[in-house]
Amino acid sequence: MPVDKLLRAKDQSRSGAAVETIAPGAPITVAAQRMATMRIGCLVVSEDQRAVLGLITERDLVRAFARHGANAPSLRVRDAMSTGVPTCAPGDDLSTVMRTMTTRRYRHVPVVQNGELLGIVSIGDVVKQRLDDLELEASVLRDAYRAAR
């Protein structure tokens, strides 16, 4: 399945392809508050809501507090964010994205085309799609078995 098909399915089911972004100069406390309020695991770091500079994730926040202790709330997103994050294109196969998530240990992969942020794929999206695929496959096999009896 191509990534763009997953994004279209997300768009129909909930907030869809909308991606939450944050400026690199924002305080990490603002990032933490937004993630908690929106019940999401990361924000895409971007100056213009189009170009991906990195991600600020729950893990990044934990690391910032572990390293900086009581000084962590004074940090900016740029001080704690992950850079060099993997991205994918709308036409990429979801199995390739799953492999990237597993090998690179990222739970979120921004979808980018021509340098512009189009969406984001989370590990939850991938697992849900895989479960849906398995349910469909099982249903088809059950129907074929019943028809053959």
Side-chain angles (χ1 to χ4, degrees):
M1 164 189 271
V3 170
D4 61 345
K5 186 174 179 184
L6 175 69
L7 289 181
R8 285 193 303 274
K10 282 176 63 171
D11 198 32
Q12 292 174 0
S13 68
R14 53 185 159 81
S15 62
V19 182
E20 292 297 320
T21 63
I22 192 163
I28 65 167
T29 53
V30 171
Q33 185 61 46
R34 284 188 52 205
M35 284 189 264
T37 301
M38 302 185 82
R39 302 184 70 193
I40 57 177
C42 84
L43 298 166
V44 175
V45 181
S46 178
E47 289 281 4
D48 59 4
Q49 300 179 342
R50 293 171 31 186
V52 176
L53 301 176
L55 296 177
I56 182 83
T57 68
E58 294 166 321
R59 287 179 179 180
D60 294 326
L61 295 174
V62 168
R63 286 183 190 116
F65 276 88
R67 279 190 211 123
H68 300 281
N71 294 327
S74 66
L75 297 175
R76 300 292 170 183
V77 168
R78 75 172 61 84
D79 302 322
M81 72 184 203
S82 297
T83 58
V85 299
T87 62
C88 64
D92 288 352
D93 190 72
L94 201 53
S95 63
T96 303
V97 176
M98 288 190 304
R99 202 169 355 277
T100 299
M101 289 175 154
T102 302
T103 58
R104 301 271 312 268
R105 302 192 73 172
Y106 276 88
R107 295 178 179 176
H108 303 86
V109 175
V111 182
V112 177
Q113 186 172 38
N114 299 325
E116 188 167 334
L117 178 64
L118 300 179
I120 194 161
V121 175
S122 73
I123 193 70
D125 298 332
V126 170
V127 169
K128 181 188 179 309
Q129 184 59 51
R130 185 68 183 127
L131 288 173
D132 290 350
D133 291 346
L134 289 172
E135 283 182 29
L136 176 62
E137 184 177 323
S139 177
V140 168
L141 289 172
R142 273 191 301 274
D143 291 346
Y145 174 76
R146 287 181 188 134
R149 288 176 59 184

